[in-house]
Amino acid sequence: MVGLGRMGGNMSLRLLGGGHEVVGFAPNPAEVERVVQAGGHGTTSLGELVGALEAPRTVWLMVPAGAATQQTLTELADLLAPDDLVVDGGNSRYTDTIERAQMLAARDIHFADAGVSGGIWGLEEGYCLMVGCSRETFTRLEPVLATLAPADGYAHVGPNGAGHFVKMVHNGIEYGLMQAYGEGFELLQSSDFDLDLAQVAEVWRRGSVVRSWLLDLTARALNADPQLDAVAGFVEDSGEGRWTLHEAIDRAVPTPAIAMSLFARFASRQEDSFSARLLAALRKEFGGHAVQDRKIDG
């Protein structure tokens, strides 16, 4: 396992708990030590990791998408041998994945892309795994997949690229679901009733048509901090929502809910947006509506 952070580290522990042998590498020695304490074998470089594995090797990457994944794969390609297998479990863009699979295939190295969902709860609950690769590679990986996932929680969804494509759309849907919960609970909070939002979330979890794991987490967050006073309303995005929209545009597939949920995240990062100021100025210009004076620090 290359990358032993919140995902890779917990996945390593779940594999060790399932009886697998795990060799781990990460730049952070503390992350390596955590795996060692659980019974794994720690290494200090990719070369040492490859040397510690018996051929044919399986190397699973849980590193950030983009340059970090590309750099790691490029280095591994020179270290691995024919019939070895590389699994990219990060959130790589599926088009990059297809190119990387071709690059490794030229060296007779197998490749699988695994969309991984489960977050920090995966260690206990298991990870949902969406795998793109050949059927033979999937069969080779299946003992590991069966340990990482809950019952019926993994699937061979197609050839290389399909796993990351399915995970990309999964995350786009996640954006929309989260936005709907956020808007609905804000409307509840703004009502004239003194509603207990945590109570509402709890009762909706039981039998409601809007129940989901995200609602379970909503209830958990509201029980811990009913007004969410400790949380700033600044919402990042890690790229998958943008890629989902790119695909929707290219394929002329309407995805307005996902689009608006992504734009809402952008809006959350603006304390004083230019567009909102322009709207206020236009209302003053055409209708004489009052505007508020802008406060500028300093």
Side-chain angles (χ1 to χ4, degrees):
M1 185 72 71
V2 178
L4 303 174
R6 288 175 297 178
M7 294 291 286
N10 281 352
M11 291 168 70
S12 297
L13 299 187
R14 188 170 174 92
L15 288 171
L16 288 166
H20 297 274
E21 297 181 24
V22 177
V23 178
F25 165 69
N28 186 342
E31 293 175 348
V32 177
E33 182 59 24
R34 180 176 178 236
V35 172
V36 170
Q37 290 297 320
H41 178 70
T43 60
T44 58
S45 69
L46 287 177
E48 185 182 348
L49 177 135
V50 170
L53 292 169
E54 182 179 343
R57 306 167 185 86
T58 297
V59 181
W60 190 304
L61 310 186
M62 291 302 295
V63 299
T69 295
Q70 185 62 49
Q71 180 180 345
T72 303
L73 278 171
T74 299
E75 186 174 346
L76 276 173
D78 291 330
L79 295 169
L80 296 174
D83 204 34
D84 288 342
L85 167 61
V86 178
V87 184
D88 179 8
N91 285 325
S92 294
R93 193 165 189 170
Y94 82 97
T95 50
D96 294 336
T97 293
I98 293 171
E99 292 178 0
R100 291 163 181 164
Q102 293 169 347
M103 181 268 289
L104 292 174
R107 298 171 180 246
D108 294 321
I109 297 171
H110 306 288
F111 185 79
D113 48 291
V116 181
S117 182
I120 59 175
W121 295 87
L123 174 59
E124 179 180 348
E125 302 290 338
Y127 300 88
C128 175
L129 303 169
M130 302 142 262
V131 185
C133 60
S134 69
R135 175 59 66 178
E136 294 75 18
T137 297
F138 181 78
T139 300
R140 174 172 166 179
L141 266 179
E142 196 158 10
V144 168
L145 303 175
T147 298
L148 287 172
D152 300 320
Y154 67 93
H156 179 230
V157 296
N160 285 129
H164 282 156
F165 185 85
V166 171
K167 179 55 164 41
M168 175 191 73
V169 177
H170 164 282
N171 282 23
I173 293 170
E174 178 186 313
Y175 280 33
L177 291 172
M178 292 171 66
Q179 185 65 27
Y181 282 130
E183 292 174 7
F185 276 91
E186 182 170 13
L187 184 58
L188 291 171
Q189 184 200 43
S190 71
S191 77
D192 295 331
F193 303 102
D194 185 18
L195 296 173
D196 182 338
L197 299 188
Q199 179 194 52
V200 173
E202 288 289 354
V203 74
W204 281 357
R205 292 175 60 205
R206 294 163 175 83
S208 163
V209 296
V210 299
R211 65 187 183 275
S212 72
W213 188 54
L214 287 172
L215 183 60
D216 296 344
L217 297 179
T218 299
R220 176 185 172 91
L222 290 171
N223 275 307
D225 184 2
Q227 297 302 317
L228 302 180
D229 292 325
V231 182
F234 185 103
V235 188
E236 277 286 9
D237 71 284
S238 54
E240 296 88 344
R242 302 183 191 210
W243 301 339
T244 302
L245 288 190
H246 292 164
E247 290 296 322
I249 292 167
D250 288 346
R251 300 167 190 275
V253 175
T255 56
I258 294 174
M260 292 307 298
S261 67
L262 177 62
F263 296 151
R265 294 190 179 203
F266 295 163
S268 77
R269 304 167 204 168
Q270 296 181 303
E271 293 183 5
D272 184 23
S273 85
F274 183 85
S275 65
R277 299 202 307 273
L278 180 58
L279 290 177
L282 287 173
R283 292 185 76 246
K284 180 182 180 182
E285 292 296 329
F286 70 69
H289 300 288
V291 296
Q292 296 184 13
D293 292 336
R294 185 182 178 207
K295 296 179 180 179
I296 302 177
D297 293 339

